[in-house]
Amino acid sequence: QVQLVQSGAEVTKPGASVKVSCKASGYTFTDHFIHWVRQAPGHGLEWMGWINPNSGGTNYAQKFQGWVTMTGDTSINTVYMEVRLRSEDTAVYYCARGNGPGVNYYGVDVWGQGTTVTVSS
Amino acid sequence: DIQMTQSPSSLSAYVGDRVTIACRASQSINNYLNWYQQSPGQAPKLVIYLASNLQSGVPSRFSGGGSGTDFTLSISGLQPEDFATYYCQQTYTTPLTFGGGTNVEIK
């Protein structure tokens, strides 16, 4: 079945970087964009950006420009999201598949299980 | 950025009730509006895309409507598994923004 499996929880200090992976299976990896969405404890959803695994092209929310890097490896059907952390970045980070090949208008239809990133000095 | 405002922020209802959640965009987004359901400790789930299209596998008691700036999500005949938080999201332009969420609780 179609699924996205993310890497495990991380605990890190402010100023450090963490790289979260998202491995896709059950569909043609290069057909769908992958989005990253985060959710701080007790808060709502926040879109961070997307990557086109086919071209490597990315689109980041301005808030995350310079702090986040999204990359992909088509040989292992995996995308990565690396973020340089501040204390307010403690959150669950989700990857999610664009609903529909090559487009982003239809939302995201398959989500990873989430990766909890805790930032603490 | 386009701001998405949901109302109410929470509501209480009985099993079997019909509920409606509203979502307003700060500018016209045509019909590029999606709805998600999130249960505690779970990843969100896509319920409605492009304002009124039921995602595959979602029960027909869910329906969506609206265009431009004003949208609704309705659930007719609430079931125990429907008690969750619902988010709207615009996909008209980046950054793709979400509403603040509506928590649907059991009365």
Side-chain angles (χ1 to χ4, degrees):
Chain A
Q1 76 280 23
V2 176
Q3 62 177 350
L4 300 174
V5 178
Q6 298 182 223
S7 50
E10 303 265 6
V11 179
T12 189
K13 296 184 185 305
S17 291
V18 67
K19 193 170 187 177
V20 180
S21 67
C22 172
K23 183 172 177 61
S25 61
Y27 71 97
T28 302
F29 177 65
T30 50
D31 278 356
H32 295 256
F33 286 62
I34 294 290
H35 299 241
W36 289 89
V37 175
R38 74 176 187 179
Q39 186 169 37
H43 287 75
L45 303 170
E46 182 176 30
W47 182 81
M48 300 176 68
W50 54 247
I51 179 170
N52 179 345
N54 187 42
S55 66
T58 55
N59 186 320
Y60 304 135
Q62 186 171 13
K63 171 179 180 176
F64 298 101
Q65 293 270 4
W67 292 95
V68 168
T69 304
M70 298 176 189
T71 55
D73 185 340
T74 57
S75 69
I76 55 171
N77 290 358
T78 299
V79 296
Y80 302 92
M81 190 275 302
E82 185 169 18
V83 56
R84 188 153 42 103
L85 296 163
R86 299 158 289 194
S87 56
E88 62 265 34
D89 291 326
T90 292
V92 177
Y93 290 77
Y94 293 102
C95 61
R97 187 185 81 158
N99 181 28
V103 295
N104 290 310
Y105 300 135
Y106 308 144
V108 291
D109 64 344
V110 178
W111 294 68
Q113 81 275 21
T115 296
T116 300
V117 176
T118 303
V119 185
S120 175
S121 55
Chain B
D1 298 1
I2 296 177
Q3 307 303 317
M4 306 301 295
T5 303
Q6 288 183 234
S7 61
S9 57
S10 66
L11 65 89
S12 297
Y14 293 103
V15 171
D17 280 354
R18 175 183 173 87
V19 299
T20 297
I21 300 167
C23 178
R24 173 166 288 177
S26 59
Q27 66 182 74
S28 177
I29 57 171
N30 292 336
N31 66 336
Y32 294 113
L33 190 283
N34 311 298
W35 290 97
Y36 299 86
Q37 175 195 65
Q38 186 179 33
S39 298
Q42 303 293 314
K45 171 186 171 183
L46 180 64
V47 176
I48 297 283
Y49 65 93
L50 288 182
S52 61
N53 294 275
L54 197 65
Q55 176 65 4
S56 175
V58 174
S60 58
R61 62 181 178 271
F62 289 87
S63 62
S67 67
T69 60
D70 292 299
F71 301 87
T72 58
L73 172 70
S74 295
I75 314 170
S76 59
L78 270 173
Q79 297 298 301
E81 61 268 28
D82 301 335
F83 292 93
T85 300
Y86 293 85
Y87 295 93
C88 61
Q89 179 206 33
Q90 64 82 17
T91 46
Y92 179 74
T93 189
T94 56
L96 309 184
T97 43
F98 289 91
T102 296
N103 185 27
V104 177
E105 300 175 319
I106 298 177
K107 185 178 284 187

